[in-house]
Amino acid sequence: MENAASRLAAIRNNIARVCKPARREPDDVTLIAVSKTHDAPAIQPLIDAGQRVFGENRVQEAQGKWPALREAHPDIELHLIGQLQSNKAEEAVALFDVIHSLDRPSLLTALAKAMDKAGKRVPCFVQVNIGDEAQKGGCPISELPAFLAAARAADVPLAGLMCIPPADTEAAPFFALLAKLAADHGLEGLSMGMSGDYETAVMLGATHVRVGTALFGARG
Ligand SMILES: *Cc1c(COP(=O)(O)O)cnc(C)c1O
């Protein structure tokens, strides 16, 4: 119990420390505790330590553990950070408060329809394929202007841009590029930075960092 709380405090400290030279306020950075693969007993100590924003990457896994946890703590905010299949759009809209993986026209259509049906607008980050990697999800940079226009036309609220930089290389240039793209398109939110690089991301303007391993330890 002490462990989760002290790791949380250390990460909050690190965020505050890098905010200073970046002339940012720690309150402007949302720490998303990525709880994928971890069960309720592992999550509870973080809730007890005051953490209220959590991220999951699978709809079905989140459906299994979060309804009960949220009943006890209605102020919890749940973010979907993983790839979303269009046929899960209705379930995602029902369960999540924010979606970070809007990345293609078919999913946009499915989410807009699901939001209309549910009478609930869920803010979405548009995931950008920032390293132009064939195997990775995310909207190609060249298609971003048209895709953002389509999302606005479909009345899907845009929270900002999200990226997962290429592995095994310096992340900073990709974070800087995402920040520039967001500014070019008048978007404020920047979902970038994970356990290994959240401090760099905060220095480059991240408004949402997604941290799993550094909070929970390695995933089994
Ligand atoms: C798992 C995951 C994270 C958290 O990664 P860690 O390295 O464990 O902090 C962040 N973002 C996405 C999209 C993920 O799937």
Side-chain angles (χ1 to χ4, degrees):
M1 243 172 142
E2 215 178 329
N3 261 346
S6 62
R7 284 194 285 243
L8 177 64
I11 291 168
R12 292 204 172 284
N13 260 336
N14 290 340
I15 290 173
R17 184 172 41 77
V18 294
C19 273
K20 232 177 197 179
R23 296 165 184 265
R24 303 191 59 204
E25 293 298 327
D27 282 353
D28 294 337
V29 181
T30 299
L31 170 61
I32 302 172
V34 177
S35 48
K36 65 188 184 194
T37 76
H38 298 288
D39 58 9
I43 294 169
Q44 190 63 50
L46 283 174
I47 298 174
D48 294 342
Q51 178 67 25
R52 285 296 179 273
V53 184
F54 290 86
E56 290 283 345
N57 70 336
R58 288 175 197 275
V59 174
Q60 207 172 337
E61 182 186 339
Q63 280 171 332
K65 60 189 175 187
W66 281 102
L69 287 165
R70 289 175 111 182
E71 200 159 318
H73 304 276
D75 55 341
I76 281 174
E77 206 179 277
L78 203 53
H79 292 231
L80 178 63
I81 60 166
Q83 278 207 345
L84 177 59
Q85 291 171 283
S86 296
N87 64 8
K88 296 261 169 69
E90 278 191 27
E91 291 161 277
V93 164
L95 184 61
F96 290 95
D97 300 298
V98 183
I99 293 171
H100 291 242
S101 48
L102 172 57
D103 67 348
R104 59 193 190 278
S106 57
L107 180 59
L108 172 62
T109 303
L111 282 171
K113 206 171 139 194
M115 289 183 204
D116 288 343
K117 193 171 164 190
K120 175 186 178 193
R121 308 318 283 183
V122 179
C124 293
F125 286 86
V126 169
Q127 183 175 350
V128 179
N129 189 347
I130 202 74
D132 198 19
E133 296 175 280
Q135 80 284 9
K136 227 176 228 176
C139 177
I141 291 174
S142 60
E143 291 170 21
L144 189 59
F147 189 54
L148 292 173
R152 286 175 167 133
D155 204 16
V156 167
L158 291 177
L161 300 181
M162 177 274 211
C163 77
I164 306 171
D168 304 321
T169 180
E170 177 57 53
F174 298 101
F175 293 155
L177 177 55
L178 193 74
K180 183 186 182 302
L181 290 169
D184 286 351
H185 293 285
L187 294 167
E188 304 224 319
L190 281 173
S191 170
M192 57 188 198
M194 309 181 6
S195 288
D197 51 25
Y198 67 89
E199 289 155 301
T200 302
V202 167
M203 293 187 83
L204 291 166
T207 60
H208 293 70
V209 292
R210 312 177 306 265
V211 178
T213 309
L215 267 176
F216 287 94
R219 287 180 286 274

